[in-house]
Amino acid sequence: RSYHICGGAQDNYSWCGPSSTTQQLGIGNEDWITVAGGDGFYNRIDQKEPNIIYAESQDGSLSRRDLKTSESKSLRPQEENDNPPRYRFQWNSPLMISAHDNRTVYYGGNHLFKSTNRGDDWVKLGEDLTNNGDRDKIEVMGKTVDRTTLSRHDGVVAWPCITVIAESPLKAGVLWVGTDDGNVQVSQNDGKTWTNVAANFPGLKKGAYVSRIEPSKTGEGTAYVAFDNHRSADYAIYIYVTKDFGKTFTRITNGIPVEAGTVHTVREDPAATNLLFAGTEFALYFSLDRGASWHKMKAQGLPVVPVFDIQIQPREHDLILATHGRSFLIMDNISSLENLSDDVMKADLKAFPTHPAIEYKMANYRSFIGGATYLAPNAPSGAVIDYYAKSAGPVQVSVKDPAGNEIRKLTARAEAGVVNRLLWDMRYDSPIPPAAAGAGGFGGRSEERRVGKECRSRW
């Protein structure tokens, strides 16, 4: 089933579009709509009323759009008066809708702002959560920056600012904040008081840019924290986990080499908390043991590109990447990864759960639209069947109806030591035997080969 993805394209606004269509040619540019202007960054969709979209652009500009009416309202928190100091906002200021109340929105500047009426009004949760440094007093290459310095502040309007905000999925009001000057702040009482745990990360230099905080479903005090310290010529991999609200942290980077580039994002799978994903400057990594060891994702169609954000669509179990190649990438149905374990990889053959499938009548209303049009592939149409095989060789899959009668026999070939995938197009075997090889018939074997190619091209 199709769903919508929303996100920013830096210089090119914020957009929403479908994960799949009923058009035979696939997903076209005209299937996407603009929801906000400027340099598009954070977008958030109201999970209870998905026609409500929040979108953020450079230096703290924030809007809320109703897709039913196309009405848009500016929501940027305003200072109490015109006297300095002004609020500071990152180029891409973090934005979050509470998982516990869809009308509660959090927004990060140098303060953490909270609204209980969808951004119409804001309150500050505590004082400045950065170190509130003065960059005009910092030496760069042995000299204090002044008005004669070329590329002064390198185009960054405000510093220091909040870069990351997050809330525990288990308990409302357990909040985390990360900043571009190295602070990691945690509150257990909805921002009434804060504890800075920045000194508790072993092996990390002071002041590293916080790139992501991911609270876990495994415990109220458990969270994953990632840093990107390349601005200080430090290209090491930094991912940590805490289980005690930040009192102690353990570094979990085994398997991610420094060649992977700095870490931009970490995400815990909502259906399988042992499964983690990490997006770096050059690749995507996954862990089956909560970060104890990491493995590079080598799926076909995944380019070498910075992975800036990761989401898992909970209904379809799709893995969604937002990249700095200005593209979204989807890996359809990662249930096989969610069910992968040491026992599975020791088994001779293991079939993974198959989700209910819907048969669609595909349309063809987009013929002859020019030679320069780009179209992304639709999601596989039919029932996806995943299985693991220790050894390579032929595989036969029998599809039966509720009465136990075989209605389709599929033939494929398994690759050894990997998760294999084939697709049942939800058709029955023909009552007439297929034509002999070379006669152009559509037996189960030839159809599976065709479908297999389509399935692999999705990513």
Side-chain angles (χ1 to χ4, degrees), residues 285-296:
Y285 287 80
F286 68 97
S287 172
L288 300 173
D289 48 19
R290 298 187 187 179
S293 58
W294 294 88
H295 313 277
K296 185 177 181 181

Side-chain angles (χ1 to χ4, degrees), residues 256-273:
I256 306 181
V258 68
E259 293 79 15
T262 52
V263 180
H264 298 303
T265 184
V266 175
R267 188 69 66 195
E268 179 184 82
D269 191 286
T273 54

Side-chain angles (χ1 to χ4, degrees), residues 73-140:
K73 180 178 181 180
S74 177
L75 303 178
R76 187 184 192 277
Q78 299 298 313
E79 293 82 354
E80 296 176 358
N81 52 59
D82 292 334
N83 299 325
R86 312 292 291 177
Y87 295 148
R88 300 189 303 273
F89 288 92
Q90 257 273 342
W91 190 250
N92 48 336
S93 302
L95 167 67
M96 177 185 70
I97 303 174
S98 173
H100 307 281
D101 177 14
N102 69 309
R103 298 184 65 84
T104 296
V105 182
Y106 295 92
Y107 194 43
N110 56 320
H111 303 270
L112 181 63
F113 298 92
K114 177 183 178 181
S115 173
T116 56
N117 57 5
R118 291 179 164 172
D120 289 337
D121 301 286
W122 297 95
V123 295
K124 290 188 295 186
L125 300 184
E127 297 304 316
D128 193 322
L129 294 176
T130 73
N131 292 312
N132 197 24
D134 185 350
R135 58 184 172 175
D136 288 329
K137 298 179 180 179
I138 298 175
E139 285 192 358
V140 177

Side-chain angles (χ1 to χ4, degrees), residues 91 110 134 149 217 236 303 381 422 440 443:
W91 190 250
N110 56 320
D134 185 350
T149 303
K217 283 188 174 182
S381 177
L422 60 82

Side-chain angles (χ1 to χ4, degrees), residues 168-170 214-220 222 224 268-271 273:
S168 168
L170 300 179
E214 173 76 344
S216 173
K217 283 188 174 182
T218 62
E220 293 178 8
T222 301
Y224 302 93
E268 179 184 82
D269 191 286
T273 54

Side-chain angles (χ1 to χ4, degrees), residues 188-236:
Q188 299 183 53
N189 53 15
D190 201 29
K192 294 182 178 64
T193 59
W194 293 90
T195 301
N196 190 356
V197 298
N200 300 340
F201 294 90
L204 181 68
K205 297 177 182 178
K206 182 179 179 181
Y209 185 107
V210 185
S211 56
R212 194 56 50 102
I213 301 176
E214 173 76 344
S216 173
K217 283 188 174 182
T218 62
E220 293 178 8
T222 301
Y224 302 93
V225 184
F227 294 86
D228 172 1
N229 202 31
H230 85 274
R231 296 164 182 81
S232 297
D234 176 9
Y235 295 91

